[in-house]
Structure formats: C-alpha cells, structure tokens
Amino acid sequence: MSQHGAALQTYNQELVKCLEEMKLRRAELQTQIESQEEEKNNLQREIEKMSHKLTRLNDSLAKRVAVRNEYDRTIADTETAYMKILESSQLLLNMIKREATNLDQSLVKASMDKQQFRQ
C-alpha cells in the first residue's frame, strides 16, 4: 500500500506542478491580452482622431476647390468681357479713322470747289 501511496503522492505533486505551470502560462497570456487590448484601444483612438482630421481636411479642401472654381469662372468671364472691349475699341478706331478720312476728303473737295468757284 505504501507503494500506491507514494505513487499517488508523486502523481499529486506532478498534477499540482502542472496546474501551477498552467496558471503561470495563463497569467502570462492574460498580461499579453491586456497589453494587446491597450494597444488596440490606442490605435482605435488614433483612427478616430485621424478620421476626424481627414473629415475636416476634406471639408476645407472642398471649400477651397469651390472658391478656386469661382476664381476660374470670374477670370474667364472677365477675359471674355475684356476681349469684347478690345474688339469694340478696334472697331471704333477703324470707324473713326474711316470717318476722319471721309471728312478730310470732304474738306479737300470743298476747298477745291471753293477755288473753282473763285476762278
């Protein structure tokens, strides 16, 4: 019987030792789990911050693009109007030159008629 008791005691010691080793491994695993959960939470907070920052940046960018498009439209409209002014100025200049030439010719003709009348 003492042999059975010694075997039982050896088994019991091994069982206790195994349980202690398992508890130690579990505690180490629990420490790793807690560390990873903390890292996960930190990353989640970072993602939320970055997401919020991205949203603000997208909003700002959209507003700036809209203003730039208004600049483009205003510049294009102004350039178009300016080209019309240039064309009108050129037409006016051509017309005034033509009228001045016609008036000069009329003046020369009138002077010639006056000289013929005197003779």
Side-chain angles (χ1 to χ4, degrees):
M1 272 297 235
S2 72
Q3 228 181 8
H4 291 297
L8 185 59
Q9 188 174 5
T10 302
Y11 296 150
N12 188 40
Q13 287 174 346
E14 285 186 39
L15 179 62
V16 169
K17 183 179 174 186
C18 266
L19 281 173
E20 289 301 318
E21 285 178 11
M22 289 180 80
K23 286 180 183 181
L24 183 62
R25 286 187 203 140
R26 185 203 178 277
E28 289 172 357
L29 186 59
Q30 181 63 30
T31 301
Q32 291 172 353
I33 289 170
E34 289 170 358
S35 175
Q36 286 184 339
E37 284 179 342
E38 184 178 343
E39 183 179 359
K40 176 188 141 195
N41 291 334
N42 288 339
L43 288 173
Q44 187 64 38
R45 281 191 295 275
E46 285 288 320
I47 289 170
E48 288 171 6
K49 285 181 192 175
M50 296 296 266
S51 178
H52 184 66
K53 188 174 181 178
L54 179 62
T55 299
R56 285 192 329 250
L57 184 60
N58 279 336
D59 291 345
S60 175
L61 185 60
K63 289 174 186 174
R64 289 177 189 273
V65 166
V67 170
R68 185 206 54 202
N69 291 342
E70 280 297 310
Y71 270 112
D72 289 345
R73 186 190 58 77
T74 300
I75 290 167
D77 290 350
T78 302
E79 286 176 340
T80 300
Y82 184 68
M83 291 305 294
K84 287 180 182 178
I85 290 170
L86 287 177
E87 290 171 3
S88 295
S89 295
Q90 186 178 11
L91 288 172
L92 180 61
L93 178 61
N94 291 339
M95 184 187 76
I96 198 79
K97 284 181 179 179
R98 189 173 48 247
E99 287 299 315
T101 301
N102 289 342
L103 288 173
D104 286 346
Q105 289 174 355
S106 294
L107 184 59
V108 168
K109 185 177 179 186
S111 293
M112 288 174 65
D113 287 346
K114 187 175 181 183
Q115 283 179 353
Q116 284 179 354
F117 179 69
R118 284 188 182 174
Q119 290 175 0

